[in-house]
Amino acid sequence: MTEIVLIRHGQTEWSANGRHTSYTDLELTPEGETQARRAGERLGGRTFAAVISSPRRRALRTAELAGLTVTEVTEDLAEWNYGEYEGITTKQIHADRPDWSLWTDGCPGGETPEQVGERLDRVLARARAIGGDVALIAHGHSLRVAGARWVGLPPSAGGLLKLDTATVSVLGFEHEVDPVLSAWNAPC
């Protein structure tokens, strides 16, 4: 049975500081590089029919350090577009908008939860059609939306799924039919 393995990129300076990072193309920190190698070890030599990555350097470098050969790069796996909130923290946003939630409000000048959900639905449909195990290398918020959408929940439910840097999660099936989260946020 096909599984989709989600791998969040390793730590960057901004992820370590809680800054929203979508289109800003940052490198991994030395710790992020170590995390990416450990993610590869966690995969234990597993082979994939396809390895699909976000185009951001932090995702591509994570794939490389994890020993994965990327077969497709797509903007559909890019991180949530934070628009005007790019580079700032949730705490800073709450200073002006105390009731703001990424998961329900989206970002001014960026994407709504529904727009992110549409992108991730396309990725999941492509991955499912491949007919073998697939690895997706991407970002915290976009992969959280992927997890929620896999089990039939709205994009906003991704807010209930914590995802640390360089962790491995597995989307699978129960009884070969029902989509389930087989593993989530497994540390490397």
Side-chain angles (χ1 to χ4, degrees), residues 38-113:
R38 282 194 304 247
E41 291 168 7
R42 181 160 177 80
L43 297 172
R46 187 173 182 165
T47 58
F48 295 97
V51 177
I52 306 171
S53 179
S54 159
R56 303 300 178 261
R57 285 188 297 220
R58 56 196 182 270
L60 292 167
R61 181 72 172 144
T62 296
E64 176 186 354
L65 292 171
L68 301 173
T69 301
V70 173
T71 59
E72 180 183 345
V73 176
T74 177
E75 278 289 335
D76 279 347
L77 272 177
E79 181 59 293
W80 197 306
N81 183 339
Y82 300 120
E84 294 172 23
Y85 293 159
E86 178 79 2
I88 61 175
T89 67
T90 298
K91 183 178 179 180
Q92 290 171 311
I93 297 165
H94 283 164
D96 292 327
R97 291 184 64 190
D99 295 331
W100 175 79
S101 168
L102 172 68
W103 302 102
T104 55
D105 302 325
C107 299
E111 289 180 296
T112 66

Side-chain angles (χ1 to χ4, degrees), residues 21-27 55-59 86:
T21 317
S22 55
Y23 50 81
T24 303
D25 210 2
L26 301 175
E27 299 289 343
R56 303 300 178 261
R57 285 188 297 220
R58 56 196 182 270
E86 178 79 2

Side-chain angles (χ1 to χ4, degrees), residues 147-166:
R149 297 300 300 138
W150 181 256
V151 294
L153 297 173
S156 61
L160 303 172
L161 302 172
K162 180 181 179 184
L163 195 60
D164 297 317
T165 54

Side-chain angles (χ1 to χ4, degrees), residues 9 11 16 26-27 29 34 42 63 70 84 100 110 120 134 139 162 169:
H9 67 76
Q11 180 191 75
L26 301 175
E27 299 289 343
T29 63
T34 298
R42 181 160 177 80
V70 173
E84 294 172 23
W100 175 79
L120 274 297
V134 175
H139 313 275
K162 180 181 179 184
S169 301

